[in-house]
Amino acid sequence: MVIMSVKLNKKILKTVILCIAIAIIIIAFFISMSSLSDATFGEHSTPQVVDTVQSANSNVKDLKSKVESNADRIAYCNLLGLNVTQEPNEVMEVRIPDEFDDVYQNYNEMQKKNGFDLSKYKGKNVKRWNYTVCNYPDHEEGTVEINLLVYKNKVIGGDICSVKIDGFMTGLKGIA
């Protein structure tokens, strides 16, 4: 019979446990980011809302050049099937970077899937209009927002996102 004894150093044991915990957190983070990139409007909506969005998508192109007023931006959101607050939460001038880092590249890929391309606006200052969405299915009121990127009164991109820590982000047409 062989008997083995192991003497564990408490400091080393704590370090190993801490490393394992950090690894689990990092893995969970990447899994949640992966699920965010796979999120679509359809996963968070009823069929009725999806039908509204799909039928409205053909009309959205007509509205791109007509967002001169707040009423136009609200009408644009309504075409997407979204009821938004009557006034924006924030209006901010944003500069589209001259060179896209990985984050901006991924954001622009989402835009391209929705018929937009921010690379055409590199180095330009655009306005970001942020509204609270009042009717996003399966989400508490006030937890979903829409961001419209506007250049020379034309929607050039944007997103719909949850402000919750475990939220989502999708393109304006819900096909991100």
Side-chain angles (χ1 to χ4, degrees), residues 150-165:
V150 178
Y151 181 72
K152 294 185 178 179
N153 297 322
K154 177 181 176 184
V155 175
I156 62 165
D159 59 82
I160 301 166
C161 61
S162 169
V163 297
K164 288 188 169 185
I165 193 95

Side-chain angles (χ1 to χ4, degrees), residues 39-47 49-50 54 136 138 170 173-175:
T40 63
F41 194 17
E43 291 177 49
H44 301 286
S45 61
T46 62
V49 174
V50 172
Q54 289 171 345
Y136 203 85
D138 302 325
T170 187
K173 294 183 183 179
I175 54 173

Side-chain angles (χ1 to χ4, degrees), residues 130-141:
N130 173 275
Y131 294 88
T132 298
V133 177
C134 302
N135 68 329
Y136 203 85
D138 302 325
H139 286 78
E140 295 174 32
E141 188 170 332

Side-chain angles (χ1 to χ4, degrees), residues 43-67:
E43 291 177 49
H44 301 286
S45 61
T46 62
Q48 181 181 8
V49 174
V50 172
D51 291 342
T52 303
V53 172
Q54 289 171 345
S55 64
N57 284 342
S58 59
N59 297 329
V60 170
K61 288 184 180 180
D62 299 335
L63 191 57
K64 281 186 182 179
S65 61
K66 301 177 185 175
V67 291

Side-chain angles (χ1 to χ4, degrees), residues 72-176:
D72 292 338
R73 288 183 294 278
I74 291 172
Y76 186 93
C77 294
N78 291 160
L79 280 176
L80 295 172
L82 303 173
N83 294 330
V84 298
T85 52
Q86 292 300 303
E87 294 298 322
N89 300 323
E90 180 179 51
V91 180
M92 177 183 280
E93 190 164 294
V94 178
R95 182 174 178 82
I96 306 295
D98 294 320
E99 295 296 323
F100 290 171
D101 61 8
D102 288 342
V103 173
Y104 232 99
Q105 189 64 37
N106 289 336
Y107 187 75
N108 195 42
E109 287 303 315
M110 179 180 67
Q111 298 305 314
K112 287 179 179 179
K113 290 177 184 178
N114 286 270
F116 302 105
D117 185 359
L118 297 179
S119 62
K120 299 174 187 176
Y121 302 95
K122 286 183 175 180
K124 304 283 187 198
N125 290 333
V126 303
K127 282 196 178 179
R128 180 179 61 86
W129 299 81
N130 173 275
Y131 294 88
T132 298
V133 177
C134 302
N135 68 329
Y136 203 85
D138 302 325
H139 286 78
E140 295 174 32
E141 188 170 332
T143 62
V144 177
E145 296 181 348
I146 184 169
N147 293 296
L148 299 176
L149 298 175
V150 178
Y151 181 72
K152 294 185 178 179
N153 297 322
K154 177 181 176 184
V155 175
I156 62 165
D159 59 82
I160 301 166
C161 61
S162 169
V163 297
K164 288 188 169 185
I165 193 95
D166 60 343
F168 65 92
M169 178 183 283
T170 187
L172 291 179
K173 294 183 183 179
I175 54 173

